[in-house]
Amino acid sequence: MASITRRDFVSSVAVGAAATTAVPAATEGAIKILALSCSPRKGQSTATALGVCLQAAREVSPRIETELIELGGLKINGSVAAGIPLPKGEQDDFPSLVPKLTDPRVRGIILGTPVYFGNMSSLCRAFLERCIVLYQDKFALRDKVAGVVAVGGTRNGGQEVTIQSVQISLFCQQMIVVGNGNPSPRLGGTVWSGAPGGVLKDEFGMATTRALGRRVAEVALRMAGLS
Ligand SMILES: Cc1cc2nc3c(=O)[nH]c(=O)nc-3n(C[C@H](O)[C@H](O)[C@H](O)COP(=O)(O)O)c2cc1C
């Protein structure tokens, strides 16, 4: 089972108000894969699973650079997507994420969400709704590769439904949505945080998560003409 190395955590920096963990590529001519954790709880199961996913992506090629951004603690108001302005003089944190998402070096985006009542977290939903500005901006996410990890407190707690629900938004953005690849291709990372010992001990879930990281990396490299 993959463990999270020190490399995953060495370069934690603040971008806007977001907690991010960036791991540079080991070689020139790199592409970047971004993971966004949509748990309101920073540093918990969803972020841990995404760390494993990104590590697997990096193992595909030294050209792969990764960054984990945790949305927990950020203010992201979904109503703004529907034209309801924030109270006068107030701002939220979504605009600070836009340069990260639209960076042309970012060829893959992996979204991780906890399962809440059989679906994504409200933070994930608000984030996806606010991404309508990217849809309206000539499909700024078009052709970036996308994958989804869902983390539930129980096995069969709604992870697959949650993944599909997130994927619908990603399809609308004209992203290239992939599931986890070999050896057992399915929808994405399906993780059980209630496993004795936590997510890293969920052997099945970690296998799907690592396979997703590899698949996103492989397709992103292909899209960039690097494989
Ligand atoms: C409001 C709420 C609803 C939840 N509903 C589900 C559920 O439907 N299925 C499930 O497997 N776990 C459910 N859980 C458990 C979380 O998915 C689980 O604790 C997960 O690990 C949280 O992710 P985090 O550790 O990254 O915060 C729920 C938790 C909360 C707070």
Side-chain angles (χ1 to χ4, degrees):
M1 180 177 305
S3 59
I4 301 177
T5 64
R6 189 176 166 274
R7 208 168 152 235
D8 289 304
F9 293 107
V10 280
S11 59
S12 292
V13 289
V15 172
T20 87
T21 304
V23 182
T27 187
E28 299 275 310
I31 63 167
K32 192 165 176 180
I33 296 178
L34 209 59
L36 294 131
S37 171
C38 301
S39 171
R41 303 191 315 150
K42 279 203 259 187
Q44 298 299 312
S45 316
T46 307
T48 302
L50 287 173
V52 170
C53 194
L54 291 179
Q55 181 170 308
R58 288 195 302 277
E59 285 166 5
V60 169
S61 166
R63 288 180 186 273
I64 304 241
E65 176 179 329
T66 62
E67 183 168 352
L68 170 64
I69 300 180
E70 299 210 49
L71 303 188
L74 299 193
K75 192 171 150 198
I76 300 178
N77 187 325
S79 301
V80 173
I84 312 293
L86 291 166
K88 210 164 182 213
E90 275 190 29
Q91 283 189 325
D92 75 3
D93 294 308
F94 181 78
S96 71
L97 298 170
V98 170
K100 289 272 175 195
L101 296 164
T102 56
D103 179 349
R105 289 179 59 244
V106 170
R107 296 285 190 150
I109 297 178
I110 300 167
L111 276 172
T113 178
V115 180
Y116 285 172
F117 294 129
N119 219 305
M120 70 185 87
S121 65
S122 56
L123 182 56
C124 188
R125 170 55 71 195
F127 168 77
L128 289 171
E129 287 172 3
R130 291 294 295 280
C131 284
I132 196 167
V133 291
L134 306 176
Y135 174 102
Q136 289 163 339
D137 182 19
K138 300 188 189 123
F139 294 102
L141 298 178
R142 183 179 177 156
D143 291 347
K144 292 184 195 273
V145 181
V148 185
V149 175
V151 183
T154 56
R155 173 62 69 210
N156 305 319
Q159 286 88 340
E160 291 189 322
V161 172
T162 300
I163 290 172
Q164 285 179 288
S165 193
V166 174
Q167 285 174 334
I168 293 169
S169 293
L170 307 176
F171 285 129
C172 292
Q173 297 281 358
Q174 298 197 70
M175 298 185 82
I176 298 173
V177 180
V178 299
N180 55 311
N182 291 332
S184 186
R186 295 287 185 272
L187 288 177
T190 49
V191 180
W192 170 34
S193 64
V199 279
L200 295 175
K201 298 287 180 195
D202 172 21
E203 215 166 299
F204 177 84
M206 288 300 98
T208 61
T209 301
R210 284 195 302 273
L212 178 71
R214 286 195 298 271
R215 178 78 181 137
V216 170
E218 284 163 8
V219 180
L221 284 168
R222 204 161 299 151
M223 290 300 294
L226 294 173
S227 73

